[in-house]
């Protein structure tokens, strides 16, 4: 029995729909399999189960190493100052909450008077920076002895109080038995240090140059 034209047309439409559904099933199945495979691979890379196919070098404008600071030489025949005669400010330049307060407690345990505890405006990448006036380097060296790898920096202050800026490389305050300076012996000069007068002159020159630059900028405006 021959089918009518209408029945033949209906079977043809049904066959086309079936082939289209089969193609769609294959396409969507392939896409799902690729996405699932990618997700599994990404998870394995994230979990360090398999190595990444390539590595991207991340460049940052932020410095990654502490700046090189030329140390001022201690005064000739200068000796360590009694810790209970020293006053300091402790400033935390890191994002570690409470580091300044904890360090201040440890410094106070040595007999040092801590005047203030605050946050520094800029991150220091070294262990600690000891800011001291040029006339009180014996105090600065005594304070620096409390913190391994502390760097002494001369500024324009005229009072004996010292600022301690804790950096990202800070680890600890030395115990009394680990202090390096002997009470009645001259403070040893570190290798490569420069006389305090030279250090102060260089700083004054930098400040004058900065002031001249600011004045030039104002004139141009």
């Amino acid at each position: 029995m021959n089918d009518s034209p209408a029945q033949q047309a209906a079977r043809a439409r049904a066959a086309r729909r079936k082939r289209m559904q089969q193609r769609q099933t294959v396409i969507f199945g392939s896409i799902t399999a690729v996405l699932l495979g990618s997700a599994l691979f990404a998870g394995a890379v994230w979990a360090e189960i398999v190595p990444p196919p390539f590595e991207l070098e991340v460049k940052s404008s932020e410095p990654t190493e502490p700046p090189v600071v030329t140390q001022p030489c201690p005064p000739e025949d200068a000796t360590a100052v009694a810790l209970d005669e020293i006053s300091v400010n402790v400033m935390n330049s890191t994002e570690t909450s409470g580091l300044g307060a904890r360090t201040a407690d440890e410094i106070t345990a040595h007999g040092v008077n801590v005047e203030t505890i605050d946050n520094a405006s800029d991150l220091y990448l070294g262990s600690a920076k000891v800011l001291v006036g040029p006339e009180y380097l014996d105090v600065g060296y005594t304070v620096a002895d409390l913190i391994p790898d502390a760097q002494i920096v001369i500024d324009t202050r005229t009072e004996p109080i010292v600022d301690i800026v804790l950096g990202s490389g800070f680890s600890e305050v030395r115990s009394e038995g680990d202090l390096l300076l002997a009470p009645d012996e001259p403070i040893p000069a570190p290798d490569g240090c420069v006389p305090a007068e030279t250090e102060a002159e260089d700083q004054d020159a930098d400040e004058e140059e900065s002031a001249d630059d600011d004045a030039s900028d104002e004139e141009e405006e």
Side-chain angles (χ1 to χ4, degrees):
M1 180 178 178
N2 294 329
D3 294 332
S4 66
Q7 291 175 329
Q8 293 176 355
R11 283 199 297 270
R13 287 194 298 270
R16 286 197 298 272
R17 283 196 298 269
K18 184 177 181 180
R19 289 194 297 271
M20 183 177 296
Q21 290 173 350
Q22 290 174 341
R23 288 198 297 270
Q24 290 175 343
T25 301
V26 172
I27 292 172
F28 290 131
S30 300
I31 293 174
T32 302
V34 170
L35 293 176
L36 180 60
S38 299
L40 292 174
F41 179 76
V45 172
W46 180 81
E48 298 184 354
I49 298 175
V50 297
F54 57 86
E55 295 183 358
L56 293 177
E57 182 181 357
V58 178
K59 295 184 179 181
S60 173
S61 58
E62 295 290 335
T64 57
E65 296 182 358
V68 177
V69 179
T70 302
Q71 295 297 274
C73 297
E76 188 175 357
D77 297 329
T79 58
V81 179
L83 291 173
D84 58 4
E85 298 177 1
I86 296 176
S87 295
V88 302
N89 299 315
V90 177
M91 292 180 286
N92 179 15
S93 78
T94 75
E95 295 182 354
T96 303
S97 178
L99 178 62
R102 292 196 300 271
T103 305
D105 288 341
E106 295 174 0
I107 291 174
T108 302
H110 282 280
V112 177
N113 177 43
V114 176
E115 294 282 348
T116 61
I117 303 170
D118 203 350
N119 292 322
S121 57
D122 298 316
L123 172 65
Y124 179 66
L125 295 177
S127 172
K129 182 167 55 174
V130 176
L131 303 176
V132 64
E135 297 179 3
Y136 299 99
L137 281 173
D138 53 348
V139 179
Y141 268 92
T142 305
V143 171
D145 190 33
L146 295 172
I147 302 174
D149 300 321
Q151 300 290 307
I152 299 174
V153 178
I154 293 178
D155 61 13
T156 57
R157 71 188 64 200
T158 57
E159 299 178 352
I161 192 167
V162 172
D163 288 349
I164 303 174
V165 181
L166 304 176
S168 59
F170 174 81
S171 58
E172 61 181 356
V173 174
R174 285 192 174 106
S175 64
E176 184 176 355
D178 292 332
L179 297 179
L180 304 179
L181 297 182
D184 299 323
E185 296 182 6
I187 299 173
D191 293 338
C193 70
V194 298
E197 295 80 5
T198 303
E199 185 79 6
E201 289 173 359
D202 291 342
Q203 184 172 356
D204 290 341
D206 291 341
E207 291 178 354
E208 290 178 2
E209 183 179 353
S210 177
D212 291 341
D213 290 341
D214 293 340
S216 299
D217 293 340
E218 291 178 358
E219 290 178 358
E220 289 178 359
E221 292 177 357

